Amino acid sequence: MALALGTTAGRSLKGRVQVPGDKSISHRSLLFGAIAEGTTTIEGLLPAEDPLSTAACLRAMGVKVSAIETGQVVQVEGVGLDGFQEPESVLDCGNSGTTMRLMLGLLAGRTGRHFVMTGDDSLRRRPMKRVGGPLAEMGACIAGRSGGNLAPLAIAGQQLSGQVIRTPVASAQVKSAILLAALTAQGSTTVIEPVQSRDHSERMLRAFGADLTVGGPGNTEVVVTPGRSLTGQNVIVPGDISSAAFWLVAGAITPGADLTVENVGLNPSRTGILDVLEQMGARIEVLNQRDVAGEPVGDLRVTHGPLNAFEIGADLIPRLVDEIPVLSVAACYATGISRVSGAEELRVKETDRLAVMARQLGAMGARIEEFADGMAIHGETPLKGAEVDSETDHRVAMSLAVAAQIATGSTTLHRPEAAAVSYPNFWDDLERLQA
Ligand code: S3P
């Protein structure tokens, strides 16, 4: 499929938009609801392909999850910490790394049961040993291609034992998998990260009743002590700041733009994009700040204005890891050279996002130097419409749409349907805000 984004010269962006539910919180609400006792209700769950993959895997193991549709409250009937049935067939995680990695942690300790997980072409290329390695230290038995690194993965459930685990990468997926495995291990488990990654699992597991403490320098140490069962909760999912990021950048770079993104999750472990936009001098206001079900939330208003180049280093990456593609678009319109370093993790996302953004924005005339762990993006480089490709990556698809919004001339985007992984209504919202 290809989408003609046409020429939008002279068309600005105005209005209010509600981005869909946070993807990270959506996965966790389904998974934690499944292993709790009783019913969990989820308001605002992201009705997109990734959470649907999680729900399908849970249903295949005997968990009742109601239909996932826009605007519907979703109900999960928990089966308890050890209640998953052995699935009759392979569990398909689709494009979703979060589904596969968090489920590895949940399934590794299901004694006497056998599970096989796979995913699409992209997911079957992504490294899983980063989760399998620490779980093996706890006694897990996981096999896969490439020495257990690549799916399909086979898991023979074992009784696990608690450990002290230092993760080499700051990854919430790795951390969360270990925390989930720790819930039924013998003895307590400590996870120590190099830098704190997003903490949705910690917040939500505690709300469900887990014995979990967070401490250490910069909240990098999490301790789980098993023994408590989880209790179903009413979860309210805020809008996804990683989806809001497309509108924030589009608003900041489009002359005349004035956009308000409503109900955005503002968890400090996710707001690196706001820090960088502030560093660039973007005009962003945070309005109506409040707390909703344990997560900070607010509305974000953005208007167009001049931008300066940014510097993003390793310490900031975990707080904006998914926003680098769209920030690279903003950098083309800033004054000076923007630099990203310590971002080698981007190479193992849904695509190699450093290479893909350099290639696709390059086709539109961007001047980007690519390095092993980052890139340098030359500003004051107005983009030109071109033929571009999402390369099947949802965040690339939407970043290129933002680029096309102010490029001169028309752009044709191949494989735009990738956006449905995290933001099914993105194209409708774009059309409405351009009107
Ligand atoms: C996620 C964590 C991040 C992020 C992904 C979702 C999560 O990955 O890129 O989109 O929900 O835990 P890493 O934790 O591997 O960096």
Short mmCIF file of all heavy atoms in Angstrom, two decimals, residues 91-153:
data_model
loop_
_atom_site.label_atom_id
_atom_site.label_comp_id
_atom_site.label_asym_id
_atom_site.label_seq_id
_atom_site.Cartn_x
_atom_site.Cartn_y
_atom_site.Cartn_z
N LEU A 91 2.20 -19.17 20.43
CA LEU A 91 1.71 -17.84 20.80
C LEU A 91 2.32 -16.83 19.83
O LEU A 91 3.54 -16.77 19.70
CB LEU A 91 2.13 -17.50 22.24
CG LEU A 91 1.58 -18.45 23.32
CD1 LEU A 91 2.30 -18.19 24.65
CD2 LEU A 91 0.07 -18.27 23.49
N ASP A 92 1.46 -16.07 19.15
CA ASP A 92 1.95 -15.13 18.13
C ASP A 92 1.97 -13.71 18.69
O ASP A 92 0.92 -13.13 18.94
CB ASP A 92 1.05 -15.21 16.89
CG ASP A 92 1.58 -14.36 15.75
OD1 ASP A 92 2.61 -13.67 15.93
OD2 ASP A 92 0.96 -14.38 14.67
N CYS A 93 3.16 -13.16 18.86
CA CYS A 93 3.31 -11.81 19.44
C CYS A 93 3.29 -10.73 18.37
O CYS A 93 3.47 -9.54 18.69
CB CYS A 93 4.61 -11.72 20.23
SG CYS A 93 4.72 -12.96 21.54
N GLY A 94 3.08 -11.11 17.10
CA GLY A 94 2.98 -10.11 16.02
C GLY A 94 4.24 -9.28 15.93
O GLY A 94 5.35 -9.80 15.83
N ASN A 95 4.08 -7.96 15.99
CA ASN A 95 5.20 -7.01 15.86
C ASN A 95 5.71 -6.55 17.23
O ASN A 95 6.60 -5.72 17.33
CB ASN A 95 4.68 -5.79 15.05
CG ASN A 95 5.75 -4.80 14.66
OD1 ASN A 95 5.76 -3.65 15.10
ND2 ASN A 95 6.68 -5.24 13.83
N SER A 96 5.13 -7.13 18.30
CA SER A 96 5.27 -6.51 19.63
C SER A 96 6.38 -7.09 20.51
O SER A 96 6.24 -8.16 21.11
CB SER A 96 3.93 -6.64 20.37
OG SER A 96 4.05 -6.13 21.67
N GLY A 97 7.46 -6.33 20.63
CA GLY A 97 8.57 -6.71 21.51
C GLY A 97 8.13 -6.75 22.96
O GLY A 97 8.59 -7.61 23.73
N THR A 98 7.27 -5.81 23.35
CA THR A 98 6.83 -5.78 24.75
C THR A 98 6.07 -7.06 25.09
O THR A 98 6.27 -7.64 26.17
CB THR A 98 5.94 -4.54 25.01
OG1 THR A 98 6.58 -3.39 24.50
CG2 THR A 98 5.67 -4.36 26.49
N THR A 99 5.22 -7.52 24.17
CA THR A 99 4.47 -8.75 24.42
C THR A 99 5.43 -9.92 24.63
O THR A 99 5.34 -10.65 25.63
CB THR A 99 3.54 -9.07 23.22
OG1 THR A 99 2.73 -7.93 22.96
CG2 THR A 99 2.67 -10.28 23.48
N MET A 100 6.37 -10.08 23.71
CA MET A 100 7.26 -11.24 23.80
C MET A 100 8.15 -11.17 25.05
O MET A 100 8.30 -12.16 25.78
CB MET A 100 8.12 -11.36 22.54
CG MET A 100 8.95 -12.62 22.52
SD MET A 100 9.76 -12.93 20.93
CE MET A 100 8.41 -13.62 19.97
N ARG A 101 8.71 -10.01 25.31
CA ARG A 101 9.67 -9.94 26.42
C ARG A 101 8.97 -10.05 27.77
O ARG A 101 9.43 -10.78 28.66
CB ARG A 101 10.49 -8.65 26.30
CG ARG A 101 11.36 -8.67 25.04
CD ARG A 101 12.46 -7.65 25.09
NE ARG A 101 13.34 -7.76 23.92
CZ ARG A 101 13.49 -6.81 23.00
NH1 ARG A 101 12.84 -5.67 23.11
NH2 ARG A 101 14.31 -6.99 21.98
N LEU A 102 7.85 -9.37 27.96
CA LEU A 102 7.18 -9.46 29.26
C LEU A 102 6.61 -10.87 29.46
O LEU A 102 6.64 -11.42 30.57
CB LEU A 102 6.09 -8.39 29.41
CG LEU A 102 6.58 -7.09 30.06
CD1 LEU A 102 7.72 -6.45 29.31
CD2 LEU A 102 5.44 -6.08 30.24
N MET A 103 6.12 -11.48 28.38
CA MET A 103 5.58 -12.83 28.53
C MET A 103 6.67 -13.85 28.82
O MET A 103 6.42 -14.83 29.53
CB MET A 103 4.79 -13.22 27.30
CG MET A 103 3.49 -12.41 27.24
SD MET A 103 2.08 -13.39 26.82
CE MET A 103 2.76 -14.35 25.55
N LEU A 104 7.87 -13.62 28.31
CA LEU A 104 8.97 -14.53 28.68
C LEU A 104 9.09 -14.58 30.21
O LEU A 104 9.23 -15.66 30.80
CB LEU A 104 10.30 -14.04 28.09
CG LEU A 104 10.65 -14.49 26.68
CD1 LEU A 104 11.89 -13.75 26.19
CD2 LEU A 104 10.87 -16.00 26.63
N GLY A 105 9.03 -13.40 30.83
CA GLY A 105 9.14 -13.34 32.29
C GLY A 105 7.96 -14.02 32.97
O GLY A 105 8.13 -14.66 34.01
N LEU A 106 6.79 -13.89 32.39
CA LEU A 106 5.60 -14.49 33.01
C LEU A 106 5.55 -16.00 32.85
O LEU A 106 5.02 -16.71 33.70
CB LEU A 106 4.33 -13.91 32.36
CG LEU A 106 3.80 -12.63 32.94
CD1 LEU A 106 2.54 -12.20 32.19
CD2 LEU A 106 3.46 -12.81 34.43
N LEU A 107 6.07 -16.51 31.73
CA LEU A 107 5.91 -17.94 31.42
C LEU A 107 7.06 -18.79 31.94
O LEU A 107 6.87 -19.99 32.19
CB LEU A 107 5.78 -18.13 29.91
CG LEU A 107 4.61 -17.36 29.27
CD1 LEU A 107 4.51 -17.66 27.78
CD2 LEU A 107 3.28 -17.70 29.96
N ALA A 108 8.24 -18.18 32.12
CA ALA A 108 9.43 -18.97 32.50
C ALA A 108 9.21 -19.75 33.79
O ALA A 108 9.78 -20.83 33.98
CB ALA A 108 10.64 -18.04 32.63
N GLY A 109 8.37 -19.25 34.68
CA GLY A 109 8.17 -19.90 35.98
C GLY A 109 6.93 -20.79 36.06
O GLY A 109 6.56 -21.21 37.16
N ARG A 110 6.29 -21.07 34.94
CA ARG A 110 5.06 -21.89 34.97
C ARG A 110 5.43 -23.37 34.91
O ARG A 110 5.36 -24.00 33.86
CB ARG A 110 4.10 -21.52 33.83
CG ARG A 110 3.75 -20.04 33.69
CD ARG A 110 2.78 -19.51 34.74
NE ARG A 110 3.21 -19.57 36.11
CZ ARG A 110 4.03 -18.69 36.71
NH1 ARG A 110 4.55 -17.71 36.04
NH2 ARG A 110 4.33 -18.82 37.98
N THR A 111 5.78 -23.91 36.04
CA THR A 111 6.33 -25.26 36.16
C THR A 111 5.49 -26.30 35.40
O THR A 111 4.26 -26.30 35.50
CB THR A 111 6.36 -25.66 37.65
OG1 THR A 111 6.82 -24.54 38.38
CG2 THR A 111 7.28 -26.84 37.91
N GLY A 112 6.17 -27.14 34.65
CA GLY A 112 5.51 -28.27 34.00
C GLY A 112 4.77 -27.91 32.73
O GLY A 112 4.18 -28.79 32.10
N ARG A 113 4.78 -26.65 32.31
CA ARG A 113 4.07 -26.28 31.08
C ARG A 113 5.05 -25.83 30.01
O ARG A 113 6.10 -25.28 30.30
CB ARG A 113 3.05 -25.16 31.36
CG ARG A 113 1.73 -25.70 31.89
CD ARG A 113 1.01 -24.69 32.76
NE ARG A 113 1.63 -24.61 34.08
CZ ARG A 113 1.25 -23.74 35.04
NH1 ARG A 113 0.29 -22.89 34.81
NH2 ARG A 113 1.85 -23.76 36.21
N HIS A 114 4.65 -26.05 28.77
CA HIS A 114 5.51 -25.78 27.61
C HIS A 114 4.86 -24.69 26.76
O HIS A 114 3.65 -24.74 26.50
CB HIS A 114 5.65 -27.10 26.81
CG HIS A 114 6.31 -26.95 25.49
ND1 HIS A 114 7.65 -26.75 25.35
CD2 HIS A 114 5.80 -26.99 24.23
CE1 HIS A 114 7.95 -26.68 24.06
NE2 HIS A 114 6.84 -26.81 23.37
N PHE A 115 5.64 -23.72 26.35
CA PHE A 115 5.12 -22.60 25.56
C PHE A 115 6.07 -22.33 24.39
O PHE A 115 7.29 -22.42 24.55
CB PHE A 115 5.06 -21.31 26.40
CG PHE A 115 4.35 -21.47 27.72
CD1 PHE A 115 5.05 -21.88 28.87
CD2 PHE A 115 2.99 -21.19 27.83
CE1 PHE A 115 4.40 -22.01 30.09
CE2 PHE A 115 2.34 -21.31 29.05
CZ PHE A 115 3.04 -21.73 30.19
N VAL A 116 5.50 -21.96 23.24
CA VAL A 116 6.33 -21.52 22.12
C VAL A 116 5.82 -20.15 21.68
O VAL A 116 4.61 -19.96 21.51
CB VAL A 116 6.28 -22.51 20.93
CG1 VAL A 116 7.19 -22.03 19.80
CG2 VAL A 116 6.70 -23.90 21.39
N MET A 117 6.73 -19.20 21.52
CA MET A 117 6.35 -17.85 21.10
C MET A 117 7.05 -17.49 19.81
O MET A 117 8.24 -17.77 19.64
CB MET A 117 6.77 -16.83 22.16
CG MET A 117 5.86 -16.80 23.36
SD MET A 117 6.09 -15.28 24.29
CE MET A 117 7.62 -15.62 25.07
N THR A 118 6.30 -16.82 18.92
CA THR A 118 6.93 -16.29 17.71
C THR A 118 6.37 -14.90 17.42
O THR A 118 5.59 -14.37 18.20
CB THR A 118 6.77 -17.26 16.53
OG1 THR A 118 7.65 -16.85 15.48
CG2 THR A 118 5.34 -17.31 16.01
N GLY A 119 6.80 -14.34 16.29
CA GLY A 119 6.33 -13.01 15.92
C GLY A 119 6.53 -12.78 14.44
O GLY A 119 6.88 -13.71 13.70
N ASP A 120 6.33 -11.54 13.99
CA ASP A 120 6.46 -11.24 12.55
C ASP A 120 7.94 -11.15 12.15
O ASP A 120 8.83 -11.36 12.98
CB ASP A 120 5.66 -9.98 12.20
CG ASP A 120 6.27 -8.69 12.76
OD1 ASP A 120 7.37 -8.74 13.37
OD2 ASP A 120 5.65 -7.63 12.59
N ASP A 121 8.19 -10.82 10.88
CA ASP A 121 9.57 -10.80 10.37
C ASP A 121 10.47 -9.89 11.20
O ASP A 121 11.64 -10.20 11.44
CB ASP A 121 9.60 -10.28 8.92
CG ASP A 121 8.97 -11.25 7.96
OD1 ASP A 121 8.66 -12.39 8.37
OD2 ASP A 121 8.77 -10.86 6.79
N SER A 122 9.92 -8.75 11.62
CA SER A 122 10.71 -7.79 12.41
C SER A 122 11.01 -8.37 13.79
O SER A 122 12.16 -8.40 14.24
CB SER A 122 9.93 -6.48 12.52
OG SER A 122 10.29 -5.76 13.67
N LEU A 123 9.99 -8.88 14.46
CA LEU A 123 10.19 -9.36 15.84
C LEU A 123 11.12 -10.58 15.88
O LEU A 123 11.90 -10.73 16.83
CB LEU A 123 8.83 -9.69 16.49
CG LEU A 123 8.86 -10.02 17.97
CD1 LEU A 123 9.50 -8.91 18.80
CD2 LEU A 123 7.44 -10.27 18.50
N ARG A 124 11.06 -11.41 14.83
CA ARG A 124 11.94 -12.59 14.81
C ARG A 124 13.41 -12.23 14.58
O ARG A 124 14.27 -13.08 14.66
CB ARG A 124 11.45 -13.60 13.76
CG ARG A 124 10.28 -14.44 14.29
CD ARG A 124 9.83 -15.51 13.33
NE ARG A 124 8.96 -14.97 12.29
CZ ARG A 124 9.31 -14.76 11.03
NH1 ARG A 124 10.53 -15.07 10.60
NH2 ARG A 124 8.46 -14.24 10.18
N ARG A 125 13.67 -10.97 14.30
CA ARG A 125 15.07 -10.52 14.16
C ARG A 125 15.55 -9.79 15.40
O ARG A 125 16.71 -9.39 15.48
CB ARG A 125 15.19 -9.55 12.96
CG ARG A 125 15.15 -10.23 11.60
CD ARG A 125 15.65 -9.29 10.50
NE ARG A 125 14.70 -8.20 10.25
CZ ARG A 125 13.77 -8.24 9.29
NH1 ARG A 125 13.68 -9.28 8.49
NH2 ARG A 125 12.95 -7.22 9.13
N ARG A 126 14.69 -9.59 16.40
CA ARG A 126 15.09 -8.75 17.55
C ARG A 126 15.65 -9.59 18.70
O ARG A 126 15.22 -10.72 18.93
CB ARG A 126 13.88 -7.92 18.01
CG ARG A 126 13.44 -6.95 16.92
CD ARG A 126 12.27 -6.12 17.32
NE ARG A 126 12.57 -5.24 18.44
CZ ARG A 126 11.66 -4.51 19.07
NH1 ARG A 126 10.40 -4.58 18.71
NH2 ARG A 126 12.01 -3.73 20.07
N PRO A 127 16.65 -9.05 19.42
CA PRO A 127 17.36 -9.85 20.43
C PRO A 127 16.51 -10.16 21.66
O PRO A 127 15.94 -9.26 22.27
CB PRO A 127 18.53 -8.94 20.81
CG PRO A 127 18.07 -7.56 20.50
CD PRO A 127 17.15 -7.67 19.33
N MET A 128 16.45 -11.42 22.01
CA MET A 128 15.66 -11.85 23.17
C MET A 128 16.55 -12.37 24.30
O MET A 128 16.09 -12.57 25.42
CB MET A 128 14.67 -12.95 22.75
CG MET A 128 13.60 -12.43 21.80
SD MET A 128 12.58 -11.15 22.57
CE MET A 128 12.26 -10.08 21.18
N LYS A 129 17.85 -12.55 24.00
CA LYS A 129 18.76 -13.08 25.03
C LYS A 129 18.89 -12.08 26.19
O LYS A 129 19.16 -12.46 27.32
CB LYS A 129 20.14 -13.30 24.38
CG LYS A 129 21.03 -14.26 25.10
CD LYS A 129 20.53 -15.67 25.01
CE LYS A 129 21.33 -16.59 25.91
NZ LYS A 129 21.55 -17.89 25.32
N ARG A 130 18.68 -10.80 25.89
CA ARG A 130 18.75 -9.79 26.95
C ARG A 130 17.74 -10.08 28.06
O ARG A 130 17.92 -9.67 29.20
CB ARG A 130 18.52 -8.40 26.35
CG ARG A 130 17.27 -8.34 25.50
CD ARG A 130 16.99 -6.98 24.92
NE ARG A 130 18.08 -6.41 24.17
CZ ARG A 130 18.26 -5.11 23.97
NH1 ARG A 130 17.40 -4.25 24.45
NH2 ARG A 130 19.26 -4.66 23.28
N VAL A 131 16.66 -10.79 27.71
CA VAL A 131 15.69 -11.23 28.72
C VAL A 131 15.99 -12.67 29.13
O VAL A 131 16.01 -13.01 30.31
CB VAL A 131 14.25 -11.13 28.18
CG1 VAL A 131 13.25 -11.67 29.19
CG2 VAL A 131 13.91 -9.69 27.82
N GLY A 132 16.26 -13.53 28.12
CA GLY A 132 16.51 -14.94 28.40
C GLY A 132 17.74 -15.15 29.29
O GLY A 132 17.73 -16.06 30.14
N GLY A 133 18.77 -14.31 29.11
CA GLY A 133 19.99 -14.44 29.92
C GLY A 133 19.70 -14.27 31.41
O GLY A 133 19.96 -15.19 32.21
N PRO A 134 19.17 -13.11 31.82
CA PRO A 134 18.84 -12.93 33.25
C PRO A 134 17.84 -13.97 33.77
O PRO A 134 17.99 -14.46 34.90
CB PRO A 134 18.21 -11.53 33.30
CG PRO A 134 18.73 -10.83 32.10
CD PRO A 134 19.00 -11.86 31.06
N LEU A 135 16.87 -14.36 32.94
CA LEU A 135 15.91 -15.37 33.41
C LEU A 135 16.62 -16.71 33.60
O LEU A 135 16.30 -17.46 34.53
CB LEU A 135 14.75 -15.51 32.43
CG LEU A 135 13.79 -14.31 32.32
CD1 LEU A 135 12.71 -14.57 31.28
CD2 LEU A 135 13.14 -13.99 33.67
N ALA A 136 17.61 -17.02 32.74
CA ALA A 136 18.38 -18.26 32.92
C ALA A 136 19.12 -18.25 34.25
O ALA A 136 19.22 -19.27 34.93
CB ALA A 136 19.35 -18.45 31.75
N GLU A 137 19.61 -17.07 34.66
CA GLU A 137 20.27 -16.96 35.98
C GLU A 137 19.29 -17.35 37.09
O GLU A 137 19.70 -17.81 38.16
CB GLU A 137 20.75 -15.53 36.24
CG GLU A 137 21.99 -15.12 35.49
CD GLU A 137 22.36 -13.67 35.81
OE1 GLU A 137 22.43 -13.30 36.99
OE2 GLU A 137 22.57 -12.91 34.83
N MET A 138 18.01 -17.13 36.86
CA MET A 138 16.99 -17.48 37.85
C MET A 138 16.54 -18.94 37.71
O MET A 138 15.68 -19.39 38.45
CB MET A 138 15.77 -16.55 37.71
CG MET A 138 16.10 -15.08 37.93
SD MET A 138 14.71 -13.96 37.54
CE MET A 138 13.65 -14.20 38.98
N GLY A 139 17.08 -19.63 36.69
CA GLY A 139 16.75 -21.05 36.51
C GLY A 139 15.83 -21.34 35.34
O GLY A 139 15.36 -22.47 35.18
N ALA A 140 15.58 -20.33 34.49
CA ALA A 140 14.64 -20.54 33.37
C ALA A 140 15.27 -21.42 32.29
O ALA A 140 16.49 -21.47 32.15
CB ALA A 140 14.27 -19.20 32.75
N CYS A 141 14.40 -22.10 31.56
CA CYS A 141 14.84 -22.96 30.46
C CYS A 141 14.17 -22.47 29.18
O CYS A 141 13.00 -22.73 28.94
CB CYS A 141 14.43 -24.40 30.80
SG CYS A 141 14.94 -25.56 29.57
N ILE A 142 14.93 -21.70 28.39
CA ILE A 142 14.39 -21.07 27.19
C ILE A 142 15.32 -21.40 26.03
O ILE A 142 16.54 -21.19 26.12
CB ILE A 142 14.31 -19.53 27.36
CG1 ILE A 142 13.38 -19.17 28.52
CG2 ILE A 142 13.84 -18.85 26.05
CD1 ILE A 142 13.45 -17.73 28.96
N ALA A 143 14.75 -21.91 24.94
CA ALA A 143 15.57 -22.24 23.77
C ALA A 143 15.05 -21.47 22.57
O ALA A 143 13.86 -21.15 22.48
CB ALA A 143 15.52 -23.74 23.49
N GLY A 144 15.95 -21.16 21.64
CA GLY A 144 15.53 -20.46 20.43
C GLY A 144 16.62 -20.48 19.41
O GLY A 144 17.70 -21.04 19.65
N ARG A 145 16.37 -19.88 18.25
CA ARG A 145 17.40 -19.82 17.22
C ARG A 145 18.56 -18.96 17.72
O ARG A 145 18.40 -18.17 18.65
CB ARG A 145 16.83 -19.20 15.94
CG ARG A 145 15.74 -20.04 15.27
CD ARG A 145 15.28 -19.36 13.99
NE ARG A 145 14.74 -18.03 14.24
CZ ARG A 145 15.05 -16.95 13.52
NH1 ARG A 145 15.89 -17.03 12.51
NH2 ARG A 145 14.51 -15.79 13.81
N SER A 146 19.71 -19.12 17.09
CA SER A 146 20.87 -18.29 17.42
C SER A 146 21.20 -18.35 18.91
O SER A 146 21.32 -17.31 19.59
CB SER A 146 20.56 -16.84 17.04
OG SER A 146 21.39 -16.37 16.09
N GLY A 147 21.29 -19.56 19.43
CA GLY A 147 21.65 -19.74 20.84
C GLY A 147 20.62 -19.19 21.80
O GLY A 147 20.96 -18.74 22.90
N GLY A 148 19.37 -19.20 21.39
CA GLY A 148 18.31 -18.74 22.29
C GLY A 148 18.02 -17.25 22.17
O GLY A 148 17.21 -16.71 22.91
N ASN A 149 18.67 -16.58 21.18
CA ASN A 149 18.48 -15.13 21.07
C ASN A 149 17.28 -14.75 20.22
O ASN A 149 16.71 -13.68 20.40
CB ASN A 149 19.76 -14.49 20.49
CG ASN A 149 19.79 -12.99 20.68
OD1 ASN A 149 19.23 -12.47 21.66
ND2 ASN A 149 20.40 -12.28 19.76
N LEU A 150 16.92 -15.62 19.27
CA LEU A 150 15.89 -15.22 18.30
C LEU A 150 14.69 -16.16 18.35
O LEU A 150 14.82 -17.37 18.47
CB LEU A 150 16.48 -15.24 16.88
CG LEU A 150 17.66 -14.30 16.61
CD1 LEU A 150 18.15 -14.47 15.17
CD2 LEU A 150 17.28 -12.84 16.87
N ALA A 151 13.50 -15.56 18.22
CA ALA A 151 12.26 -16.34 18.15
C ALA A 151 12.20 -17.06 16.81
O ALA A 151 12.80 -16.61 15.85
CB ALA A 151 11.07 -15.40 18.30
N PRO A 152 11.45 -18.15 16.74
CA PRO A 152 10.59 -18.73 17.78
C PRO A 152 11.39 -19.20 19.01
O PRO A 152 12.48 -19.74 18.88
CB PRO A 152 9.96 -19.94 17.07
CG PRO A 152 10.10 -19.67 15.61
CD PRO A 152 11.31 -18.84 15.46
N LEU A 153 10.77 -18.98 20.16
CA LEU A 153 11.38 -19.38 21.43
C LEU A 153 10.50 -20.45 22.08
O LEU A 153 9.28 -20.36 22.05
CB LEU A 153 11.45 -18.18 22.38
CG LEU A 153 12.31 -17.00 21.93
CD1 LEU A 153 12.12 -15.82 22.88
CD2 LEU A 153 13.79 -17.39 21.86
#
